[in-house]
Amino acid sequence: MKRGGHLFRLLLITASIFFTMSFLNAGKFLTVQNFTSMSFQFPELGLFALAIMFSLITGGIDLSVVSIANLAGILAALIMTRFISPDASGLPALIWIIIAILTALLTGFFAGLFNGLLITRGGITPILTTLGTMQLYMGIAYVITKGPAVYGYPELFLSLGNGSIWFLPLPLVLFIITALLVGIILNRSRFGFNLYMLGTNETAAKFSGISINGMLVKTYMFSGILSALTGLLMIARTNSAKADYGSSYLLQAVLVAILGGVHPSGGFGTVSGVVIAVFALQFLSSGFNMLHFSNFTAEFTWGMLLLVVMVINYLMKERTN
Amino acid sequence: MRVLTKKKLFQHRFFLFLVLLIVSVTIGLKNPVFFSLSNIYDILKSSVVMGLFAVGVLIVIISGGIDISFTAIAACSMYVTSKLLLATGVTDSLVAAFMLAGFTGLLLGIFNALFISRFKLPTLIVTLGTASIFRGFMLAFIGTTIVNNLPQSLVRFSKLALFEQTLPNGEIIGLSFSIIILLIFILFCWILLRYTILGRGIYAMGGDPVAARRAGFNLTAIRYFIYGFAGFISGLAGIIYASMMRNANPFDLVGTELVVIAAVVLGGASITGGKGTVTGTVLGVLLLVIINNSLIMLNIPSYWQKVAIGLIILAGTAATVQRKVTERQGKLV
């Protein structure tokens, strides 16, 4: 019920941002062009936020998501730039693209597995583990590339970040599918149910016979794979991969998740909340952009929005008590 | 039990000291330049800003909180101060520069404390929000251009040196005066945490806030002190950073917060609160600064730097882990 209240208020706030921006940017905001351009922009942040949500629900946090995304993206980029000749097309190119994508996803899988093992077997707290692996994975990416960006991928792969199916931008399609899958995992599966229980009360979860270590390893693996997917999207959209891309995404993604109602001490968080929160941020960012404010105005309002929403939540809770 | 924990902490610091020694000796054997006076001065100078940040972060972490807005506070303070001093023409007074930067930081820190204390919001959420508020406000409404003509007072401060001497090759070296400011705060913080009731209160709050309140500590006042102090010291760190760089770049500093937190935790502070020492923090900062500054002396290309730092964080924190994984304190942020 309490969570429902937060979601409803967030929806109201997001809707009012939407209407305000439509009003202030009459004729520009409510256009197909704007919606198309927004649909290319928000999925990356949204996917990172979904990745971080998994670990936040268990009461941990994954700070290595952006580093994993870059590492996975760089490995995929290297495969595509080394093994596909510029004039290659058709089947051989397609096979190498698939190999590149699989390598990236496997990278995410193993990076997440390593995080999970350090947390469960090594006994290091999640925030410190991922603080360390964030540096480590970024470091490995630096060592592999020695610094410069890796760029120039086949057209077919680039369409993943820039193409559309009918009128739906592919990044949007990818985001919708992922959000639905995450939603199903969290709400319809045994794993999801246990995840919330683990975050709410670890002792209770342990006594109900759940393998907590197994759950945590899976959590960070999921987060790693989602990050790798985001990494693929990033390099496909920008046609370039680099060790330190998108580092500002990290805290923004935590902000989106928390704004969406995920509680940093665990147990709470819904996909719909995160999706609405990422919309709110994108509306603000695009709206301010059209008003010729700098993007820093959006950054400023994002912070305000987070605090205002949390304060309202607090006041509502206090009133019901 | 208490004796045991104390012993453990001591052991951790001792272990860290050994690591620091081994790293230094290894680098020194490979490249004697490491132990040259000018390099030691360089390392100390590089530790000043990170060290000041770390002292603030240490107090926050001991109290059971986490602050990721301190770099935004530092950037904001240094930029606002530089602009304001230039605009008003008060370019000659170092005291004015430091007071203004410290005061700006203090105000922003109190803004944090207001939300943390009044609305009982988790510190991570508040500082996450204020970090983007402070930085966003500065970049959107104050400016985005680098201030290259810093006030004279700051330029002079950057040239102020202790133990100045001329090397045989004619180069003049000296220890940056800013190290004194760091030492003052290290000492202040050490006394605060060790010998004052306020310090006891900070530890107690991080250990168990409910028990601390029952024991008679005024948690609201302590919180205002902690975040105000963290803001103040970040403001000073910001203006010292500007003076060292000889410019005020509003895009600097933000992004380094997690490494500072890592240094503090490496120094033995518990991220769940209640534990941590000033000596440990100093060792943690020195270790990271040496790794950052000296890999090049081992002929290791600089792109290995991040790998080294990542491994050190993991190894350092793993070494302090309580063996029983089941005792993992569940709530981490």
Side-chain angles (χ1 to χ4, degrees), chain B residues 78 98 150 153-155 157-159 178 238-247:
Chain B
M78 101 182 159
F98 275 67
L150 279 191
S153 54
L154 292 175
V155 177
F157 180 73
S158 72
K159 291 176 186 158
S178 54
I239 202 72
I240 291 175
Y241 177 83
S243 112
M244 282 178 178
M245 292 291 124
R246 305 272 174 91
N247 67 36

Side-chain angles (χ1 to χ4, degrees), chain A residues 126 146 199 202 265 299 314, chain B residues 119 135 303 325 328 331-332:
Chain A
K146 300 198 169 49
E202 191 174 325
S265 58
E299 191 179 337
Y314 169 80
Chain B
F119 301 109
R135 194 177 110 100
Y303 45 77
V325 178
R328 211 170 42 80
K331 313 298 177 227
L332 302 151

Side-chain angles (χ1 to χ4, degrees), chain A residues 56 59-61 63 114 118-129 131-136 138-140 142-143 146 198-202 206 212-213 216 250-251 254-255 258 263-265 294 296-297 299-300 302-304 306-307 310-311 314-315 318, chain B residues 66 68 111 115 118-122 124-137 139-141 144 251 257-259 261-262 265 269 271-272 303-311 313-315 317-318 321-323 325-326 328-333:
Chain A
L56 283 173
I61 193 168
L63 298 174
F114 187 59
L118 281 173
I119 292 165
T120 54
R121 305 283 162 215
I124 313 175
T125 54
I127 190 169
L128 300 179
T129 299
L131 193 61
T133 56
M134 172 180 105
Q135 305 281 331
L136 181 66
M138 192 198 285
I140 295 173
Y142 268 119
V143 171
K146 300 198 169 49
L198 177 63
T200 320
N201 188 335
E202 191 174 325
K206 192 160 61 194
I212 290 179
N213 285 354
L216 284 176
L250 175 61
L251 293 181
V254 180
L255 192 143
I258 290 175
H263 200 278
S265 58
S294 72
F296 307 119
T297 321
E299 191 179 337
F300 171 70
W302 291 1
M304 294 293 271
L306 178 70
L307 288 190
M310 297 316 287
V311 167
Y314 169 80
L315 294 176
E318 206 170 51
Chain B
I66 193 158
I68 48 175
F111 188 75
F115 283 93
R118 172 65 187 83
F119 301 109
K120 305 195 171 53
L121 300 181
L124 173 75
I125 296 186
V126 171
T127 55
L128 192 61
T130 56
S132 65
I133 292 176
F134 299 155
R135 194 177 110 100
F137 185 86
L139 294 170
F141 305 117
T144 50
F251 292 96
E257 53 275 349
L258 293 178
V259 180
I261 293 173
V265 172
I271 199 91
T272 48
Y303 45 77
W304 279 95
Q305 212 173 66
K306 293 260 173 199
V307 173
I309 289 181
L311 287 176
I313 294 173
L314 291 176
T317 45
V321 159
Q322 297 172 330
R323 280 296 145 226
V325 178
T326 43
R328 211 170 42 80
Q329 287 160 291
K331 313 298 177 227
L332 302 151
V333 258

Side-chain angles (χ1 to χ4, degrees), chain B residues 161-197:
Chain B
L162 306 162
F163 317 121
E164 247 181 303
Q165 54 176 267
T166 313
L167 293 184
N169 63 10
E171 196 189 339
I172 300 170
I173 57 162
L175 178 58
S176 169
F177 182 79
S178 54
I179 195 84
I180 297 286
I181 296 176
L182 176 62
L183 287 178
I184 290 173
F185 276 99
I186 287 174
L187 191 69
F188 172 82
C189 195
W190 186 73
I191 294 172
L192 172 82
L193 289 173
R194 231 181 140 89
Y195 296 110
T196 67
I197 295 292

Side-chain angles (χ1 to χ4, degrees), chain A residues 12-35:
Chain A
L12 270 185
I13 291 172
T14 309
S16 39
I17 292 172
F18 180 78
F19 287 120
T20 314
M21 287 305 176
S22 311
F23 177 74
L24 290 176
N25 297 293
K28 277 191 286 182
F29 195 83
L30 287 173
T31 56
V32 175
Q33 196 197 353
N34 180 38
F35 279 90

